[in-house]
Amino acid sequence: MMAAAVLLAACAAPDFQQPQIATPAAFKEAQVPAVQTAQDGTRWSQAQVNYAERQARGEWWLAFNDPTLTGLIAEATQANANLAVAAARVKQARAIAGIAEADRIPQVGVNLGGQRNRASAVSLGLPNGAPVAATNVYQANLTASYEVDLFGRVAANVSASRSDALAVEATYRSVLLSLQADVAQTYFQLRATDAELATLAETVRLREESVHVNQRRYDLGDIGEFDLSRARTELSTARAEAIGLQRQRATGEHALAVLLGEPAASFTAVVNPLQDSAFLPVIPAGMPSTLLERRPDIASAQRTMEASNARIGVAKSAMFPALMLNASGGGAADTFSDVFKWSSRSWLLGALMSMPIIDGGRNKAAVTRSEAQLEESVGTYRQSVLVAFAEVEDNLAGLRILSGQTQQIDEAVVSARRSADLAQKLYDAGRSSYLDLLDAQRNLSAVERSAVQLRGNRAVTTVALIRSLGGGWGEPEPQVAVN
């Protein structure tokens, strides 16, 4: 009894030990209440509006209160090819786990068939050439086999397969989250581009008016050709910038079409400029320790570790005896009608124990490999956690700094508009040169475009923070439903 216990302990998978991760008590960037400018020490805080924790937990995009975005994400979830691939892998992993589970129960089958045979005379001890009649044999047997899991091979293999399936399911959730975030980010980038195009369109309109006015003044002799040429140059430059931005919009539209599972040629995104950042939710970062439960990529790495640990037990069990039980019963006769008669009955009971003696170190090497695979999966898990912490810190810092930049650029827009208005009046009154007016108008255009770009960056970074947090705010992981 003692020897059996020692053998069982020797071949069993080691108890899984959760790797120790240095988890901070709080996210560093979430603790900074404000941004401080370098010049004058002015401080400001991020606005606390539209708290995301008031929104639906799983459908995080509802926090943006944008029906168009909701529709796009629903469409992508139904039609995206990469998500379909991930779903198919979940099916495969579950099927493999089912195959492993089947080894827990006896395998029962039935054999039914017949054969006609003629042996040689010599093989029957008769003289060569003696006549031998052909015989018919019909059989019907019920068979059963079962591996007695003496040293835990079956249990360890089932455990590994289950963990593999859970890892693949977590990967599916990771792909789903990435798809949803990619759709949202691409959508907001398109809207920011639309807003930038609207700003450029206004710039082009002002340049066209400037060319028209300068042409009249040139015709009247009020100005020289220099001012007219500069006005035309500025108009062509603004038009060229607008044309170049159309290329960026087309690329974003095509990328969104791919995410939605549609041909780029048949998809057109409605023009919808991003007007302001007031709609953006404030995302609660939570505690770093909860990130380990929310991120699907970390969950996948966790399950992979557990599967690797279980496979150590599978490898160890190959070094010990395996016991297979076999049984069959049925009938055999020379006519099919007699197969099922009691007089034709036959049966077999057997037990086979096998154990390697000399394998050239194969099984020992297999154990070493499985242990190394566990070490690899532990390293992958640690790296996934560190990357997750860094991504959250990056996006928290990004949102905090972008919020400060937005406040400053909004003030700059007000000042630039005032400067451009004064420059126009001074130029019309003949008290300043056309170069002064152009300089003020260029500055206004640049500041307005910067404001638009910042709005887009804040929306994209908000989505990036949600992605880095695992897509929710503490809800339990949903069961993956794959059709």
Side-chain angles (χ1 to χ4, degrees), residues 259-271:
L259 292 171
L260 299 178
E262 295 187 24
S266 62
F267 175 75
T268 301
V270 177
V271 175

Side-chain angles (χ1 to χ4, degrees), residues 95-105 154 157-162:
I96 292 172
I99 294 171
E101 290 274 4
D103 288 339
R104 286 183 176 275
I105 62 175
V154 174
N157 192 44
V158 169
S159 177
S161 299
R162 286 177 176 175

Side-chain angles (χ1 to χ4, degrees), residues 16 18-19 162-175 177 289-308 377 380-386 388 467-470 475-478 480:
F16 178 73
Q18 181 67 31
R162 286 177 176 175
S163 295
D164 282 338
L166 292 173
V168 175
E169 290 180 15
T171 300
Y172 171 86
R173 285 191 292 271
S174 183
V175 173
L177 173 60
S289 58
T290 63
L291 184 65
L292 306 183
E293 303 171 2
R294 293 198 303 255
R295 291 262 302 215
D297 57 335
I298 294 179
S300 178
Q302 171 79 28
R303 299 303 186 184
T304 300
M305 281 193 304
E306 295 170 0
S308 298
S377 63
T380 300
Y381 173 80
R382 291 181 183 276
Q383 183 67 15
S384 297
V385 172
L386 293 176
R467 185 206 297 250
S468 65
L469 289 171
E475 75 277 13
E477 289 187 352
V480 178

